[in-house]
């Protein structure tokens, strides 16, 4: 048998192995101490919380969004852009808090506070004046608003899904909005949507606003 090396004794580390052993011991001690004192920084999947996906009409500025949400006393806020840059979408995560009624409350409650914090002063003034934010409103909110403001909101044709004019119009609006990336870009679009009556289109053009963003999804994760 061919034997290249005989009586091989290569001292590669010499005495440095003891240095690395001491360093490893100190690093493990510090890590264990940090886990005992500070605990683990669990993410939303473990600690629970609310994740809200929002799409903006214009390019969102993450620093400005973070400042607005921090001012709403929501607790720890994590914001990240998602998708392509042209999508203008962000994912906002609020971890569940130990304090009852804080940011870790029900997903619907905290998402409402997030949306309220993101509204511009003009949008807040419009809401107080009873105007409808068409990009932000849900189908139910649109139907209720139309039912209040639309004259002659009568029941629609008899059938398995008996509905009112306002309900049919709101369904058509939300369907169109969903098919167009979740946003209306101009109020003039409303008049050309199938299922929207001329009276409803005129009412919306005069008394609604678009709003700067729309809610894409809300997910609430419990701590269990």
């Amino acid at each position: 048998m061919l034997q290249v090396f005989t009586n091989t004794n290569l001292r590669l580390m010499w005495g440095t192995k003891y240095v690395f052993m001491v360093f490893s011991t100190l690093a493990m001690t510090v890590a264990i101490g940090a886990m005992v004192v500070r605990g683990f920084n669990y993410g939303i999947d473990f600690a629970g919380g609310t994740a809200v996906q929002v799409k903006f009409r214009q390019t969102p500025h993450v620093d400005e969004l973070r400042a607005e949400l921090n001012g709403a006393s929501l607790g720890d806020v994590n914001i990240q852009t998602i998708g392509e840059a042209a999508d203008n979408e962000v994912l906002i995560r609020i971890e569940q808090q130990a304090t009852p009624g804080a940011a870790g409350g029900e997903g619907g409650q905290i998402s409402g506070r997030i949306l309220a914090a993101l509204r511009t002063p003009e949008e807040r003034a419009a809401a107080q004046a009873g105007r409808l934010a068409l990009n932000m409103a849900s189908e139910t909110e649109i139907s209720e608003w139309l039912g209040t403001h639309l004259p002659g909101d009568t029941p629609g044709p008899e059938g398995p899904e008996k509905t009112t004019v306002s309900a049919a119009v709101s369904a058509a609006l939300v369907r169109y909005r969903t098919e167009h990336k979740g946003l209306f870009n101009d109020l003039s679009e409303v008049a050309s949507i199938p299922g929207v009556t001329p009276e409803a289109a005129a009412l919306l053009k005069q008394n609604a606003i678009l709003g700067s963003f729309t809610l894409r999804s809300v997910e609430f994760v419990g701590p269990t």
Side-chain angles (χ1 to χ4, degrees):
M1 178 183 293
L2 178 63
Q3 192 172 14
V4 179
F5 298 102
T6 59
N7 300 322
T8 304
N9 184 16
L10 301 176
R11 301 179 63 187
L12 297 177
M13 298 188 66
W14 296 82
T16 57
K17 67 178 181 179
Y18 299 106
V19 176
F20 287 108
M21 290 174 62
V22 172
F23 176 79
S24 298
T25 302
L26 290 176
M28 291 176 63
T29 302
V30 172
I32 294 173
M35 287 187 289
V36 172
V37 175
R38 301 186 61 181
F40 292 99
N41 184 17
Y42 293 109
I44 186 174
D45 294 332
F46 292 94
T50 303
V52 178
Q53 183 176 340
V54 181
K55 180 180 178 66
F56 290 85
R57 293 176 61 202
Q58 306 294 332
T59 302
H61 299 284
V62 174
D63 292 337
E64 295 179 2
L65 297 179
R66 184 174 290 108
E68 293 171 353
L69 293 173
N70 286 337
S73 302
L74 292 167
D76 294 332
V77 178
N78 180 277
I79 305 175
Q80 67 180 93
T81 58
I82 58 176
E84 301 292 335
D87 293 337
N88 296 336
E89 293 195 26
V90 298
L91 181 64
I92 303 171
R93 296 179 177 177
I94 309 292
E95 292 187 8
Q96 188 171 27
Q97 304 296 310
T99 305
E106 291 297 329
Q109 177 187 2
I110 192 61
S111 63
R113 293 176 59 189
I114 290 174
L115 299 181
L118 295 179
R119 285 188 174 95
T120 64
E122 293 79 9
E123 291 167 353
R124 297 190 185 102
Q128 292 178 352
R131 302 182 68 186
L132 178 70
L134 197 55
N135 279 327
M136 289 182 281
S138 66
E139 182 174 339
T140 300
E141 291 171 336
I142 297 175
S143 178
E144 292 177 350
W145 188 88
L146 288 173
T148 303
H149 295 81
L150 193 63
D153 185 26
T154 57
E158 297 290 342
E161 297 183 357
K162 183 179 178 180
T163 183
T164 61
V165 173
S166 60
V169 170
S170 63
L173 290 170
V174 171
R175 182 169 55 252
Y176 178 90
R177 187 176 66 183
T178 302
E179 293 172 351
H180 291 75
K181 299 183 179 181
L183 284 171
F184 289 100
N185 292 312
D186 196 308
L187 281 174
S188 61
E189 298 176 50
V190 174
S192 62
I193 298 175
V196 177
T197 64
E199 295 79 11
L203 178 66
L204 290 168
K205 189 173 183 179
Q206 293 177 359
N207 297 284
I209 63 171
L210 290 179
S212 58
F213 62 89
T214 186
L215 177 65
R216 297 289 278 170
S217 67
V218 177
E219 294 183 4
F220 175 72
V221 182
T224 57

